[in-house]
Amino acid sequence: MADPKTSAPKLKNDEIDTALVRSLADILNDTDLTEIEVERGDLKIRVAREVTMAAPVQYAAAPAAAPAPAPTAAAAPASMPSDPATIVPRSGEEVKSPMVGTAYLQASPEAPPFVQPGDKVKKGQTLLIVEAMKTMNPIQAPRDGVVKEILVGDAQPVEFGEPLVLLEA
């Protein structure tokens, strides 16, 4: 290989060796390098390219397809009546969701519901389950009573503190 000091053309102080800069740029384009630097005596040439990376795309996992719930009278009403005189106050004790999740009225799609309106329940008996973070959490009756109304539908998303079941003495 030739000695760079002897093969380099003599340059004036203000003159730049454009052929050298172009060859360095070609090296950057042909390789994965982002910068290259060459020194010849007092001359120092650095060629760099800015590499912009696209922001990583984040995908949310699609929710698991749940079987379409059968229409039931137990589903919560879609909207509140506009006339306050038509609002009927609920009597009984509301059993509320202790977490955000998905309510299920039966243990599996083939299984019968845990409870139905009119069923007598004992304290600690499972009324339904709320799935949160892949964990099935049984919601138990806080006391003995009769299920007056189920306020949520099967596979329905629920919020913390949302009433799930109405119990009466």
Side-chain angles (χ1 to χ4, degrees), residues 13 26 30 37 42 45 70 72 112 118 133 145 154 163 165:
N13 288 343
D26 289 339
D30 295 342
E37 188 174 305
D42 292 340
I45 298 176
T72 64
M133 297 175 43
D154 190 42
V165 175

Side-chain angles (χ1 to χ4, degrees), residues 8-20:
K10 298 290 181 197
L11 300 175
K12 296 179 187 173
N13 288 343
D14 296 342
E15 198 175 322
I16 295 177
D17 185 356
T18 57
L20 176 60

Side-chain angles (χ1 to χ4, degrees), residues 34-156:
T34 56
E35 88 178 46
I36 190 167
E37 188 174 305
V38 174
E39 288 187 47
R40 289 188 180 168
D42 292 340
L43 177 66
K44 183 175 183 180
I45 298 176
R46 179 177 166 267
V47 179
R49 65 177 167 174
E50 186 175 319
V51 178
T52 57
M53 298 178 72
V57 179
Q58 296 181 349
Y59 296 97
T72 64
S79 63
M80 293 295 294
S82 58
D83 182 9
T86 60
I87 298 175
V88 178
R90 292 186 178 134
S91 63
E93 180 181 352
E94 292 178 339
V95 179
K96 297 181 179 185
S97 178
M99 65 196 72
V100 174
T102 303
Y104 293 101
L105 304 180
Q106 63 255 7
S108 69
E110 306 83 30
F114 290 108
V115 294
Q116 294 182 347
D119 286 356
K120 290 183 180 181
V121 294
K122 297 283 185 191
K123 180 179 179 176
Q125 180 178 340
T126 300
L127 302 173
L128 52 90
I129 54 177
V130 174
E131 183 238 339
M133 297 175 43
K134 306 288 184 200
T135 302
M136 300 299 177
N137 302 284
I139 307 302
Q140 300 173 342
R143 60 175 175 80
D144 293 354
V146 176
V147 176
K148 183 171 183 182
E149 189 177 353
I150 299 174
L151 305 171
V152 294
D154 190 42
Q156 176 182 327

Side-chain angles (χ1 to χ4, degrees), residues 19-31:
L20 176 60
V21 173
R22 286 179 198 256
S23 66
L24 292 173
D26 289 339
I27 292 172
L28 286 181
N29 289 334
D30 295 342
T31 64

